[in-house]
Amino acid sequence: DGFLNFRTVTCLFNSTKADDIAYIDSYYLNKLKIISFDSRVGKFVGYTEFGVSNAKRWNEGPEVTRTRNEKERYCVHNVGLDYRTGLAKS
């Protein structure tokens, strides 16, 4: 009994160039994706009624600007590190 709530953050990349990196932040409830941010789209998208209402609110507030900056802070930085320490040596 209870609820399963989780979040995934993914960096998709083909190279270390910022233009080739996508930041995806997704929220799930009971294994169902309810809302997601994709840096290629540049805004939150809702997949359920609850997700659509939250996406609208988050896209009008400071959350969308903060999340847009996460690509640089999280993905671009870490992809560069991962590439230098692992991928380039394999």
Side-chain angles (χ1 to χ4, degrees):
D1 289 355
F3 297 97
L4 174 64
N5 181 25
F6 65 99
R7 174 184 178 192
T8 63
V9 174
T10 306
C11 298
L12 302 176
F13 62 97
N14 290 326
S15 75
T16 57
K17 290 190 246 173
D19 291 344
D20 293 337
I21 299 172
Y23 171 81
I24 302 169
D25 187 359
S26 301
Y27 296 80
Y28 296 83
L29 179 62
N30 291 339
K31 300 181 183 179
L32 179 66
K33 186 188 288 191
I34 57 171
I35 192 169
S36 184
F37 176 88
D38 186 329
S39 64
R40 297 169 294 192
V41 177
K43 65 180 184 175
F44 288 95
V45 175
Y47 297 94
T48 65
E49 184 178 340
F50 178 69
V52 169
S53 66
N54 277 294
K56 183 179 184 317
R57 185 171 51 85
W58 290 357
N59 286 327
E60 294 171 353
E63 294 86 358
V64 74
T65 302
R66 195 171 331 133
T67 306
R68 284 179 184 146
N69 293 331
E70 287 297 294
K71 175 183 168 182
E72 288 294 323
R73 188 193 69 78
Y74 182 74
C75 287
V76 173
H77 173 74
N78 286 315
V79 164
L81 289 174
D82 292 345
Y83 190 83
R84 283 190 303 277
T85 59
L87 294 176
K89 295 178 182 179
S90 59

